[in-house]
Amino acid sequence: MELFRRMIDLIETFFYAFHAIAPIVVLLLLGYYIGQKNCFDRHTLKQLSTFSFRFTMCALMFRNVYELPSIHSLEPNVTILVITSLIFITLAGFILAFSITKQRNRYGVIIQASFRSNYAVLGMVLAENLYGVTGVSAAVGLQASGIFYYNIAAVFCLTMFSDQIETQINMRKIVRQLVTNPMLIGIFAGFCCLITREFIPRDTSGELVFSLSRDLDFIYSCIENLANITTPLVLLTLGAQWDFSHMGGMCKELVACVLMRLAGAPAIGFLTAFVLQYLGVITLTPAFAGALLGLWGTPMAVAGAIMAEEMGCDGELARQCAVWTSVLSMVSLFLWILILRGAELL
Protein backbone atom coordinates (compact mmCIF):
# COMPACT_ATOMS: atom_id res chain seq x y z
CA MET A 1 0.00 0.00 0.00
CA GLU A 2 2.82 2.40 0.85
CA LEU A 3 4.58 1.55 -2.42
CA PHE A 4 1.37 2.20 -4.35
CA ARG A 5 0.94 5.60 -2.65
CA ARG A 6 4.51 6.56 -3.53
CA MET A 7 3.94 5.58 -7.15
CA ILE A 8 0.81 7.75 -7.27
CA ASP A 9 2.75 10.68 -5.77
CA LEU A 10 5.53 10.20 -8.33
CA ILE A 11 3.04 10.14 -11.21
CA GLU A 12 1.32 13.29 -9.91
CA THR A 13 4.68 15.04 -9.57
CA PHE A 14 5.62 13.98 -13.11
CA PHE A 15 2.43 15.42 -14.61
CA TYR A 16 2.76 18.57 -12.47
CA ALA A 17 6.22 19.20 -13.96
CA PHE A 18 5.08 18.19 -17.44
CA HIS A 19 2.18 20.66 -17.50
CA ALA A 20 4.49 23.49 -16.40
CA ILE A 21 7.07 22.84 -19.14
CA ALA A 22 4.95 21.48 -22.02
CA PRO A 23 3.50 24.83 -23.24
CA ILE A 24 7.00 26.28 -23.50
CA VAL A 25 8.36 23.21 -25.28
CA VAL A 26 5.54 23.07 -27.82
CA LEU A 27 6.00 26.71 -28.87
CA LEU A 28 9.78 26.32 -29.13
CA LEU A 29 9.43 23.19 -31.27
CA LEU A 30 6.82 24.87 -33.45
CA GLY A 31 9.23 27.76 -33.92
CA TYR A 32 11.99 25.33 -34.88
CA TYR A 33 9.67 23.72 -37.44
CA ILE A 34 8.83 27.16 -38.87
CA GLY A 35 12.54 27.92 -39.15
CA GLN A 36 13.27 24.62 -40.91
CA LYS A 37 10.50 25.32 -43.42
CA ASN A 38 11.98 28.79 -44.09
CA CYS A 39 8.67 30.51 -43.46
CA PHE A 40 10.66 33.58 -42.43
CA ASP A 41 14.16 34.58 -43.49
CA ARG A 42 16.85 35.49 -40.94
CA HIS A 43 16.36 39.20 -41.48
CA THR A 44 12.65 38.96 -40.72
CA LEU A 45 13.28 36.86 -37.60
CA LYS A 46 15.79 39.42 -36.37
CA GLN A 47 13.26 42.20 -36.94
CA LEU A 48 10.62 40.24 -35.03
CA SER A 49 13.06 39.76 -32.13
CA THR A 50 13.82 43.48 -32.13
CA PHE A 51 10.10 44.33 -32.21
CA SER A 52 9.34 42.04 -29.27
CA PHE A 53 12.28 43.42 -27.26
CA ARG A 54 11.42 47.07 -27.86
CA PHE A 55 7.64 46.99 -27.70
CA THR A 56 5.88 43.84 -26.51
CA MET A 57 8.27 43.19 -23.61
CA CYS A 58 7.90 46.81 -22.51
CA ALA A 59 4.11 46.34 -22.51
CA LEU A 60 4.41 43.04 -20.64
CA MET A 61 6.60 44.55 -17.92
CA PHE A 62 4.21 47.49 -17.52
CA ARG A 63 1.11 45.28 -17.30
CA ASN A 64 2.68 42.91 -14.77
CA VAL A 65 3.57 45.77 -12.43
CA TYR A 66 0.35 47.71 -13.04
CA GLU A 67 -1.80 44.72 -12.09
CA LEU A 68 -0.25 44.52 -8.62
CA PRO A 69 -2.85 45.47 -5.98
CA SER A 70 -0.59 48.08 -4.40
CA ILE A 71 2.99 49.38 -4.22
CA HIS A 72 3.07 47.74 -0.78
CA SER A 73 2.92 44.33 -2.50
CA LEU A 74 6.65 44.69 -3.25
CA GLU A 75 8.89 43.52 -0.43
CA PRO A 76 12.45 44.82 0.13
CA ASN A 77 13.49 41.42 1.51
CA VAL A 78 12.83 39.92 -1.91
CA THR A 79 15.20 42.45 -3.48
CA ILE A 80 17.87 41.46 -0.95
CA LEU A 81 17.51 37.82 -1.96
CA VAL A 82 17.60 38.55 -5.70
CA ILE A 83 20.66 40.80 -5.61
CA THR A 84 22.58 38.65 -3.11
CA SER A 85 21.99 35.43 -5.04
CA LEU A 86 22.90 37.02 -8.39
CA ILE A 87 26.13 38.41 -6.94
CA PHE A 88 27.12 34.94 -5.72
CA ILE A 89 26.24 33.44 -9.11
CA THR A 90 28.28 36.14 -10.89
CA LEU A 91 31.31 35.45 -8.68
CA ALA A 92 31.01 31.74 -9.49
CA GLY A 93 30.86 32.71 -13.16
CA PHE A 94 34.11 34.68 -12.82
CA ILE A 95 35.86 31.66 -11.29
CA LEU A 96 34.48 29.35 -13.97
CA ALA A 97 35.47 31.66 -16.83
CA PHE A 98 39.10 31.96 -15.74
CA SER A 99 39.29 28.23 -15.07
CA ILE A 100 37.86 27.04 -18.37
CA THR A 101 39.34 29.27 -21.11
CA LYS A 102 42.27 31.50 -21.96
CA GLN A 103 40.46 33.52 -24.63
CA ARG A 104 39.77 36.98 -23.27
CA ASN A 105 36.70 37.64 -25.43
CA ARG A 106 34.98 34.58 -23.95
CA TYR A 107 35.36 35.54 -20.29
CA GLY A 108 32.50 38.04 -20.37
CA VAL A 109 30.24 35.66 -22.29
CA ILE A 110 30.70 32.87 -19.73
CA ILE A 111 30.15 35.25 -16.80
CA GLN A 112 27.01 36.70 -18.39
CA ALA A 113 25.65 33.22 -19.16
CA SER A 114 26.08 32.36 -15.48
CA PHE A 115 23.77 35.07 -14.11
CA ARG A 116 21.58 36.28 -16.99
CA SER A 117 18.47 34.17 -17.47
CA ASN A 118 15.52 34.69 -19.81
CA TYR A 119 13.38 35.57 -16.82
CA ALA A 120 11.47 38.36 -18.54
CA VAL A 121 9.72 35.81 -20.79
CA LEU A 122 10.32 32.19 -19.84
CA GLY A 123 10.56 32.84 -16.09
CA MET A 124 7.20 34.63 -16.03
CA VAL A 125 5.61 31.89 -18.16
CA LEU A 126 6.97 29.17 -15.87
CA ALA A 127 5.68 30.94 -12.75
CA GLU A 128 2.24 31.33 -14.35
CA ASN A 129 2.16 27.69 -15.48
CA LEU A 130 3.04 26.55 -11.98
CA TYR A 131 0.75 28.77 -9.89
CA GLY A 132 -1.39 30.92 -12.17
CA VAL A 133 -2.13 34.45 -10.97
CA THR A 134 -0.42 33.79 -7.63
CA GLY A 135 2.75 32.72 -9.46
CA VAL A 136 2.70 35.82 -11.65
CA SER A 137 2.29 38.07 -8.59
CA ALA A 138 5.29 36.42 -6.94
CA ALA A 139 7.32 36.69 -10.15
CA VAL A 140 6.54 40.39 -10.59
CA GLY A 141 8.16 41.14 -7.24
CA LEU A 142 11.45 39.74 -8.58
CA GLN A 143 11.59 41.26 -12.04
CA ALA A 144 12.58 44.88 -11.31
CA SER A 145 15.71 44.11 -9.28
CA GLY A 146 16.58 41.10 -11.47
CA ILE A 147 16.40 42.92 -14.80
CA PHE A 148 18.19 45.95 -13.36
CA TYR A 149 21.04 43.72 -12.15
CA TYR A 150 21.21 41.82 -15.45
CA ASN A 151 21.75 44.96 -17.48
CA ILE A 152 24.29 46.62 -15.19
CA ALA A 153 26.36 43.46 -14.64
CA ALA A 154 26.24 42.50 -18.34
CA VAL A 155 27.55 45.90 -19.46
CA PHE A 156 30.39 45.75 -16.93
CA CYS A 157 31.55 42.18 -17.59
CA LEU A 158 31.26 42.41 -21.39
CA THR A 159 33.07 45.76 -21.48
CA MET A 160 35.80 44.55 -19.14
CA PHE A 161 36.69 41.59 -21.38
CA SER A 162 35.93 43.10 -24.78
CA ASP A 163 38.22 42.62 -27.79
CA GLN A 164 37.63 46.25 -28.67
CA ILE A 165 40.71 47.92 -27.24
CA GLU A 166 39.12 51.34 -27.35
CA THR A 167 36.15 50.14 -25.30
CA GLN A 168 36.28 51.38 -21.73
CA ILE A 169 33.78 51.28 -18.93
CA ASN A 170 31.83 54.49 -19.47
CA MET A 171 29.35 55.31 -16.73
CA ARG A 172 27.47 57.73 -18.97
CA LYS A 173 27.02 55.01 -21.59
CA ILE A 174 25.90 52.52 -18.96
CA VAL A 175 23.32 54.94 -17.59
CA ARG A 176 22.09 55.68 -21.12
CA GLN A 177 21.67 51.98 -21.87
CA LEU A 178 19.74 51.49 -18.64
CA VAL A 179 17.33 54.40 -19.08
CA THR A 180 16.60 53.36 -22.69
CA ASN A 181 16.10 49.67 -21.89
CA PRO A 182 12.49 48.87 -22.92
CA MET A 183 11.94 46.39 -20.08
CA LEU A 184 13.12 48.87 -17.46
CA ILE A 185 10.99 51.60 -19.06
CA GLY A 186 7.94 49.34 -18.76
CA ILE A 187 8.72 48.53 -15.12
CA PHE A 188 9.33 52.20 -14.29
CA ALA A 189 6.06 53.26 -15.93
CA GLY A 190 4.23 50.56 -13.99
CA PHE A 191 5.76 51.75 -10.72
CA CYS A 192 4.72 55.32 -11.51
CA CYS A 193 1.13 54.14 -11.94
CA LEU A 194 1.27 52.19 -8.66
CA ILE A 195 2.59 55.22 -6.78
CA THR A 196 0.05 57.54 -8.40
CA ARG A 197 -2.74 55.10 -7.49
CA GLU A 198 -1.96 55.67 -3.80
CA PHE A 199 -2.98 59.35 -4.14
CA ILE A 200 -6.12 58.88 -6.24
CA PRO A 201 -9.27 59.27 -4.11
CA ARG A 202 -11.87 56.50 -3.88
CA ASP A 203 -15.65 56.64 -3.95
CA THR A 204 -17.95 55.39 -1.19
CA SER A 205 -17.67 51.81 -2.47
CA GLY A 206 -13.87 51.90 -2.31
CA GLU A 207 -13.35 52.08 -6.08
CA LEU A 208 -10.79 54.49 -7.56
CA VAL A 209 -12.43 57.57 -9.08
CA PHE A 210 -10.02 57.21 -12.02
CA SER A 211 -8.38 54.10 -13.39
CA LEU A 212 -6.26 53.66 -16.53
CA SER A 213 -7.67 50.22 -17.23
CA ARG A 214 -11.29 51.41 -16.79
CA ASP A 215 -11.41 55.04 -17.94
CA LEU A 216 -8.77 54.82 -20.68
CA ASP A 217 -9.56 51.27 -21.66
CA PHE A 218 -8.75 51.88 -25.34
CA ILE A 219 -5.14 52.57 -24.33
CA TYR A 220 -4.92 49.78 -21.78
CA SER A 221 -6.42 47.30 -24.25
CA CYS A 222 -3.59 48.07 -26.67
CA ILE A 223 -1.04 47.50 -23.90
CA GLU A 224 -2.70 44.22 -22.96
CA ASN A 225 -2.77 43.02 -26.56
CA LEU A 226 0.93 43.76 -26.98
CA ALA A 227 1.72 42.05 -23.68
CA ASN A 228 -0.30 38.97 -24.62
CA ILE A 229 1.65 38.32 -27.83
CA THR A 230 5.04 38.56 -26.12
CA THR A 231 5.38 34.96 -24.99
CA PRO A 232 4.31 33.19 -28.21
CA LEU A 233 6.23 35.65 -30.38
CA VAL A 234 9.49 35.34 -28.45
CA LEU A 235 9.29 31.55 -28.13
CA LEU A 236 8.46 31.07 -31.82
CA THR A 237 11.23 33.36 -33.05
CA LEU A 238 13.72 31.80 -30.63
CA GLY A 239 12.84 28.31 -31.87
CA ALA A 240 13.02 29.43 -35.50
CA GLN A 241 16.57 30.73 -35.00
CA TRP A 242 17.98 27.53 -33.53
CA ASP A 243 21.12 26.51 -35.43
CA PHE A 244 23.22 23.61 -34.18
CA SER A 245 25.89 23.74 -36.87
CA HIS A 246 28.27 26.41 -35.55
CA MET A 247 29.71 24.90 -32.37
CA GLY A 248 33.24 24.87 -33.80
CA GLY A 249 36.06 24.88 -31.25
CA MET A 250 34.03 26.08 -28.29
CA CYS A 251 32.70 22.82 -26.86
CA LYS A 252 34.50 23.16 -23.53
CA GLU A 253 33.27 26.71 -22.93
CA LEU A 254 29.78 25.84 -24.16
CA VAL A 255 29.44 22.87 -21.81
CA ALA A 256 30.63 25.03 -18.91
CA CYS A 257 28.09 27.76 -19.74
CA VAL A 258 25.21 25.30 -20.05
CA LEU A 259 26.00 23.50 -16.79
CA MET A 260 26.45 26.75 -14.90
CA ARG A 261 23.26 28.34 -16.25
CA LEU A 262 20.96 25.35 -15.83
CA ALA A 263 22.44 23.58 -12.80
CA GLY A 264 24.96 25.77 -10.99
CA ALA A 265 22.95 29.00 -10.90
CA PRO A 266 19.75 27.43 -9.50
CA ALA A 267 21.77 25.47 -6.93
CA ILE A 268 23.57 28.61 -5.72
CA GLY A 269 20.33 30.60 -5.80
CA PHE A 270 18.33 28.15 -3.71
CA LEU A 271 21.23 27.68 -1.29
CA THR A 272 21.21 31.46 -0.78
CA ALA A 273 17.43 31.36 -0.29
CA PHE A 274 17.70 28.60 2.33
CA VAL A 275 20.31 30.60 4.25
CA LEU A 276 18.22 33.79 4.16
CA GLN A 277 15.14 31.84 5.24
CA TYR A 278 17.11 30.35 8.15
CA LEU A 279 18.13 33.90 9.13
CA GLY A 280 14.48 34.98 9.00
CA VAL A 281 14.93 37.37 6.08
CA ILE A 282 12.49 35.61 3.71
CA THR A 283 9.84 32.91 3.73
CA LEU A 284 9.81 30.41 0.87
CA THR A 285 6.22 29.82 -0.18
CA PRO A 286 5.47 27.43 -3.07
CA ALA A 287 4.54 30.26 -5.46
CA PHE A 288 7.67 32.19 -4.45
CA ALA A 289 9.87 29.12 -5.00
CA GLY A 290 8.34 28.67 -8.46
CA ALA A 291 9.12 32.29 -9.35
CA LEU A 292 12.69 31.87 -8.07
CA LEU A 293 13.15 28.82 -10.27
CA GLY A 294 12.17 31.03 -13.20
CA LEU A 295 14.75 33.61 -12.10
CA TRP A 296 17.65 31.21 -11.66
CA GLY A 297 16.85 28.19 -13.82
CA THR A 298 15.66 29.49 -17.19
CA PRO A 299 18.01 29.61 -20.21
CA MET A 300 20.28 32.50 -21.11
CA ALA A 301 18.51 35.55 -22.52
CA VAL A 302 18.78 36.00 -26.29
CA ALA A 303 19.32 39.73 -25.72
CA GLY A 304 22.57 38.81 -23.95
CA ALA A 305 23.90 37.23 -27.15
CA ILE A 306 23.13 40.36 -29.16
CA MET A 307 24.79 42.56 -26.54
CA ALA A 308 27.90 40.34 -26.38
CA GLU A 309 28.54 40.65 -30.11
CA GLU A 310 27.93 44.39 -30.18
CA MET A 311 30.42 44.92 -27.35
CA GLY A 312 33.31 43.00 -28.92
CA CYS A 313 32.98 39.64 -27.17
CA ASP A 314 32.55 36.20 -28.73
CA GLY A 315 29.08 36.58 -30.23
CA GLU A 316 28.99 33.05 -31.64
CA LEU A 317 29.64 31.50 -28.22
CA ALA A 318 26.92 33.71 -26.76
CA ARG A 319 24.42 32.64 -29.44
CA GLN A 320 25.26 28.96 -28.93
CA CYS A 321 24.78 29.44 -25.17
CA ALA A 322 21.33 30.90 -25.78
CA VAL A 323 20.43 28.03 -28.14
CA TRP A 324 21.72 25.11 -26.06
CA THR A 325 20.50 26.40 -22.72
CA SER A 326 17.07 26.85 -24.33
CA VAL A 327 17.08 23.30 -25.69
CA LEU A 328 18.38 21.61 -22.55
CA SER A 329 16.27 23.71 -20.18
CA MET A 330 13.36 21.54 -21.27
CA VAL A 331 15.05 18.74 -19.34
CA SER A 332 16.69 20.72 -16.54
CA LEU A 333 13.55 22.68 -15.58
CA PHE A 334 11.58 19.46 -15.55
CA LEU A 335 14.13 17.89 -13.19
CA TRP A 336 14.26 20.96 -10.95
CA ILE A 337 10.47 20.91 -10.64
CA LEU A 338 10.58 17.25 -9.72
CA ILE A 339 13.28 17.92 -7.10
CA LEU A 340 11.51 20.93 -5.58
CA ARG A 341 8.16 19.15 -5.65
CA GLY A 342 9.71 16.13 -3.95
CA ALA A 343 11.18 18.43 -1.28
CA GLU A 344 7.69 19.95 -0.79
CA LEU A 345 8.89 23.38 -1.87
CA LEU A 346 6.45 23.54 -4.80
Side-chain angles (χ1 to χ4, degrees), residues 64-78:
N64 288 343
V65 175
Y66 178 84
E67 290 185 347
L68 286 173
S70 165
I71 191 69
H72 304 294
S73 303
L74 302 173
E75 302 177 13
N77 291 349
V78 172

Side-chain angles (χ1 to χ4, degrees), residues 20 23-24 119-130 231 235:
I24 299 173
Y119 178 68
V121 177
L122 298 184
M124 299 294 289
V125 174
L126 180 65
E128 184 175 11
N129 289 346
L130 287 171
T231 298
L235 292 176

Side-chain angles (χ1 to χ4, degrees), residues 74-346:
L74 302 173
E75 302 177 13
N77 291 349
V78 172
T79 300
I80 293 173
L81 169 61
V82 171
I83 299 301
T84 302
S85 63
L86 290 177
I87 288 174
F88 286 142
I89 293 169
T90 304
L91 291 175
F94 264 95
I95 296 171
L96 178 64
F98 283 91
S99 303
I100 207 72
T101 187
K102 299 298 182 183
Q103 293 185 232
R104 176 181 174 83
N105 68 342
R106 292 183 177 178
Y107 289 152
V109 175
I110 296 172
I111 297 167
Q112 180 186 224
S114 300
F115 67 78
R116 188 170 192 172
S117 70
N118 201 352
Y119 178 68
V121 177
L122 298 184
M124 299 294 289
V125 174
L126 180 65
E128 184 175 11
N129 289 346
L130 287 171
Y131 285 100
V133 176
T134 306
V136 172
S137 298
V140 168
L142 307 177
Q143 68 180 3
S145 51
I147 293 173
F148 191 75
Y149 181 92
Y150 289 162
N151 286 275
I152 291 180
V155 170
F156 271 102
C157 71
L158 293 174
T159 302
M160 190 180 304
F161 300 111
S162 172
D163 263 353
Q164 299 172 0
I165 304 301
E166 71 279 5
T167 301
Q168 296 179 348
I169 295 178
N170 187 320
M171 290 305 300
R172 183 177 297 178
K173 181 180 179 181
I174 291 173
V175 172
R176 184 170 65 250
Q177 288 181 332
L178 290 174
V179 299
T180 58
N181 185 289
M183 289 184 286
L184 291 179
I185 290 173
I187 291 172
F188 177 74
F191 277 133
C192 288
C193 287
L194 283 185
I195 294 171
T196 303
R197 189 185 299 166
E198 298 295 316
F199 299 96
I200 297 177
R202 297 177 181 269
D203 58 24
T204 54
S205 63
E207 291 291 324
L208 294 170
V209 297
F210 174 82
S211 169
L212 172 65
S213 57
R214 185 189 66 232
D215 300 302
L216 295 177
D217 59 306
F218 63 96
I219 294 178
Y220 192 73
S221 294
C222 292
I223 295 172
E224 275 205 310
N225 289 333
L226 282 172
N228 288 336
I229 68 172
T230 301
T231 298
L233 179 60
V234 170
L235 292 176
L236 288 172
T237 53
L238 177 60
Q241 294 178 83
W242 279 351
D243 187 348
F244 305 104
S245 62
H246 298 294
M247 292 178 61
M250 58 181 68
C251 288
K252 181 173 63 174
E253 292 89 346
L254 187 56
V255 169
C257 287
V258 170
L259 289 176
M260 183 62 196
R261 173 90 299 275
L262 301 182
I268 295 171
F270 278 109
L271 180 60
T272 306
F274 295 150
V275 171
L276 291 181
Q277 180 172 243
Y278 177 78
L279 295 175
V281 177
I282 62 165
T283 300
L284 275 177
T285 64
F288 188 30
L292 290 172
L293 178 60
L295 177 72
W296 297 319
T298 47
M300 175 182 155
V302 179
I306 299 171
M307 183 182 292
E309 188 165 31
E310 289 180 349
M311 299 185 69
C313 292
D314 192 328
E316 187 57 45
L317 174 60
R319 282 191 295 273
Q320 290 295 327
C321 284
V323 168
W324 283 100
T325 54
S326 297
V327 173
L328 296 175
S329 67
M330 300 176 191
V331 177
S332 65
L333 285 173
F334 184 83
L335 293 176
W336 275 111
I337 291 171
L338 289 179
I339 293 170
L340 294 173
R341 183 76 167 178
E344 299 183 347
L345 291 171
L346 289 180

